Amino acid sequence: MNLNIALLKGDGIGPEIVDSTVRVLNKIGEKFGHSFTFTPYLIGGCAIDATGEPLPKETVDGCLASDSVLLGAVGGPKWDTLPGNLRPEKALLGIRSALGLYTNLRPAKLYPALKNDSPLKESVVAEGFDIMIVRELTGGIYFGERGYRQGKYGEEAYDTECYSRLEIERIARVAFEAARKRRKNVISIDKANVLETSRLWRKTVHEVAKDYPDVTVSDMLVDNAAMQLVKNPKQFDVIVTSNMFGDILSDEASQITGSIGMLPSASLGDTSRGMYEPIHGSAPDIAGQNKSNPIATILSGAMMLRYSFNLTAEADAIEKAVDKVLNDGYRTADICHNDGVEPLSTDEMTERILSCLD
Ligand code: NAD
């Protein structure tokens, strides 16, 4: 395949972790006979410095013309005092909306080699866990009608949750398709004992499930899910849930892996073009020091191969290389807690992963 990838390196550690990922993708290209053309565009603080705005039109047009988008991270103290519409983070909402991305895939994987990083006790995480959270990204209470009014007790504020059958159906399909590429189990999380939107959610998910007889589906109430994630995370394969529940549960799930530098994510829409990025920020405290962990971004590159281009063997190869490097005991500083182990730099960790792809 010949693929055009837009690179949004962004700020802080963004450029170094994206560069590492480009090296890994080029290696995959050589090995499997694909060619990748990478075109960089400005986003975030570096775009503000160069053009006065966090998301220049050229960036949006470049992403729309690409086959997929790889993002590092945006933001940093230099731009923290700018007004809201000029903040680097504003560019993230803008680019997701311009690309029509309504699904967020957030894997939370605890590698057995990193089980000591998890705040959960050994007996719960001994075998690791591997969860994929599929979160609806553009609907629900974050986008519903809201406002202030005078009520029985004076001033009050309100937010409303609204979900259409179409919005639920399309996110459910993403979850079932993702499950087909994994362990074929979907748990749909809602609050159907209280919320009308959740009752429509539950009904619609089960209607969609009829098209996926090879995938098992069950429901879980969100309060129970919050408990089950820390009690028995291994029971989850794919979770599908609404915007707000997904926001909260995906942060809980990432915390129980214990290592922010390891977790990739994907935002998807109706086309095969997605946006792939690590879940962490621009880490200004370590930017430019060759200390950052590139794995979350490298795994985001693997997700791009799997979800945008259907290159399963290629994605597997990257994930296996990461597994091997960790099992061999190599660590960057953020995941290095053993006094006897010298942490690797960003470049050294990248080299280790590349050598496992030989
Ligand atoms: P952060 O994720 O950047 O950093 C939190 C801590 O984790 C820091 O100590 C950092 O050094 C460490 N860390 C993060 N990624 C790492 C990696 N790959 N390797 C090693 N260590 C890593 O969160 P923050 O400090 O709250 O935010 C910093 C900036 O990033 C802010 O401007 C924030 O708005 C922005 N941000 C951007 C995104 C994004 O671009 N999607 C997401 C979150 C935060």
Side-chain angles (χ1 to χ4, degrees), residues 49-64:
D49 288 350
T51 71
E53 47 184 337
L55 183 62
K57 183 174 179 305
E58 194 195 345
T59 299
V60 174
D61 291 345
C63 291
L64 284 169

Side-chain angles (χ1 to χ4, degrees), residues 5 19 24 86 88 101 154 158 185 190 195 201 231 255 258-259 266 272 291 293 311 322 327 329:
I5 297 173
D19 287 346
V24 170
L86 269 184
L101 306 173
Y158 63 96
N185 179 267
D190 60 36
L195 300 177
W201 182 279
K231 193 173 166 210
Q255 280 306 303
S259 38
S272 61
K291 272 189 191 165
N293 185 348
L311 297 175
V322 169
N327 287 333

Side-chain angles (χ1 to χ4, degrees), residues 168-300:
I168 303 167
E169 222 179 281
R170 66 185 186 182
I171 193 81
R173 284 197 191 282
V174 175
F176 284 104
E177 292 293 338
R180 277 192 165 158
K181 294 179 176 172
R182 296 168 48 92
R183 301 191 302 279
K184 299 190 170 52
N185 179 267
V186 170
I187 297 184
S188 170
I189 292 175
D190 60 36
K191 189 70 183 166
N193 53 345
V194 179
L195 300 177
E196 213 55 66
T197 40
S198 282
R199 287 192 267 273
L200 180 64
W201 182 279
R202 194 175 278 212
K203 195 168 127 197
T204 309
V205 166
H206 285 273
E207 280 164 14
V208 172
K210 290 183 191 141
D211 293 340
Y212 298 86
D214 51 324
V215 178
T216 53
V217 61
S218 56
D219 307 293
M220 192 179 276
L221 294 174
V222 63
D223 39 354
N224 185 27
M227 292 191 286
Q228 294 298 327
L229 270 173
V230 289
K231 193 173 166 210
N232 180 14
K234 211 169 168 7
Q235 71 185 288
F236 295 101
D237 176 17
V238 173
I239 286 173
V240 61
T241 192
S242 64
N243 201 344
M244 181 165 68
F245 295 161
D247 188 8
I248 297 165
L249 294 177
S250 60
D251 272 8
E252 183 188 3
S254 68
Q255 280 306 303
I256 59 173
T257 70
S259 38
I260 197 172
M262 297 289 303
L263 298 174
S265 77
S267 301
L268 307 172
D270 279 331
T271 69
S272 61
R273 185 194 314 105
M275 190 165 84
Y276 298 82
E277 59 185 301
I279 70 153
H280 59 72
S282 60
D285 51 334
I286 55 166
Q289 298 173 36
N290 199 17
K291 272 189 191 165
S292 60
N293 185 348
I295 293 180
T297 317
I298 290 172
L299 291 174
S300 302

Side-chain angles (χ1 to χ4, degrees), residues 120-143:
L120 300 184
K121 63 183 177 190
E122 156 99 43
S123 57
V124 177
V125 294
E127 297 161 46
F129 54 80
D130 181 359
I131 306 167
M132 174 68 80
I133 299 186
V134 179
R135 168 189 168 194
E136 202 288 326
L137 206 55
T138 55
I141 196 163
Y142 292 175
F143 292 88

Side-chain angles (χ1 to χ4, degrees), residues 61-119:
D61 291 345
C63 291
L64 284 169
S66 72
D67 294 312
S68 212
V69 181
L70 181 68
L71 170 75
V74 298
K78 182 176 176 191
W79 305 281
D80 272 353
T81 49
L82 290 173
N85 63 334
L86 269 184
R87 292 284 295 271
E89 294 77 4
K90 184 84 182 158
L92 298 176
L93 292 179
I95 191 71
R96 285 187 192 124
S97 140
L99 297 176
L101 306 173
Y102 58 78
T103 300
N104 191 218
L105 295 188
R106 282 265 298 253
K109 178 167 172 171
L110 177 65
Y111 294 81
L114 297 183
K115 63 180 182 224
N116 291 337
D117 283 1
S118 173

